[in-house]
Amino acid sequence: MSTLNQCPQRCSHKLLASGSALVLALTAWSPSARAYRPFDGTDAAVAAPGEVEIELQPAGRLHDAGGTALVAPAAVFNYGLGEDWEAVLEGQGETPLSPSGLTSLTAAGAFLKHVVVPGSLQDKTGPSIATEFGVLLPDSTGMSGVGASLAGIVSQRWDWGTIHLNAETVLTRDHHGDVFIGAILEGPLKWTIRPVAEVFYENEFSKEETVSALVGLIWQVRDNLSFDVAFRRGLTNGHPVDEIRAGLTFGFPLRFLDSRVTH
């Protein structure tokens, strides 16, 4: 699920190397994620036990009042811990392009997600209800602290499409209060290429207020592989924010963790 968009910050070459290594490690291992691609919010579903899902954005472009930045890579790692539970790790690299700067690791976090009430996303009737909670980790510049978040998610699927509702309360890395409210709308799941959209409102108290809308497409190649592309337009404190997102989601069982031994 969403968490706060952090502005790119400068770091040393040593921090650049270590931050990039962490992000690449996430992409190499990663299942279903905290921010369901290509959205800021998420859905009320988790990876199956022993399953890994990787959400990967090789490169994206972000333009706001501070300039233009390359977001590359961005990755989310989800692992199914057990029935209705999932562990999530995420992070992204940001490189200021105009004005130019060094790459930093931002938006890193570690979370647990739990399906409280199984529903239509779990092939049952009624809405699926989930919660997600965890810590926001410091940026690689070392100029921010640790934060925390708690979110509630409600999803409902019909033949004509799916809706995901998100509400999140956050203690930011700079120890400000923040709230996030969003809605995701998807076209019919049976369509190979389905249109998607998202709107959200976020308020970091006494600092930043954002309203945002996103439109895009998801191409479902098979159950464990999809590609996505989207454009997001927002206003942060009245200043325009434009973002292009493109990436993929894929999953696989983590077989080498199987406790069974073959003789």
Side-chain angles (χ1 to χ4, degrees), residues 129-147:
I129 302 174
T131 183
E132 189 172 63
F133 52 92
V135 296
L136 313 181
L137 302 175
D139 295 338
S140 64
T141 57
M143 297 178 63
S144 64
V146 175

Side-chain angles (χ1 to χ4, degrees), residues 194-217:
R194 64 185 185 274
V196 297
E198 180 185 38
V199 293
F200 74 78
Y201 169 80
E202 185 172 13
N203 190 341
E204 185 176 350
F205 302 128
S206 302
K207 185 176 180 181
E208 195 170 88
E209 186 177 40
T210 299
V211 292
S212 175
L214 174 147
V215 293
L217 296 170

Side-chain angles (χ1 to χ4, degrees), residues 98-127:
S98 177
S100 62
L102 297 176
T103 301
S104 61
L105 174 65
T106 68
F111 310 92
L112 288 175
K113 189 176 182 182
H114 175 52
V115 176
V116 180
V117 179
S120 55
L121 297 195
Q122 289 77 35
D123 298 322
K124 300 181 184 296
T125 59

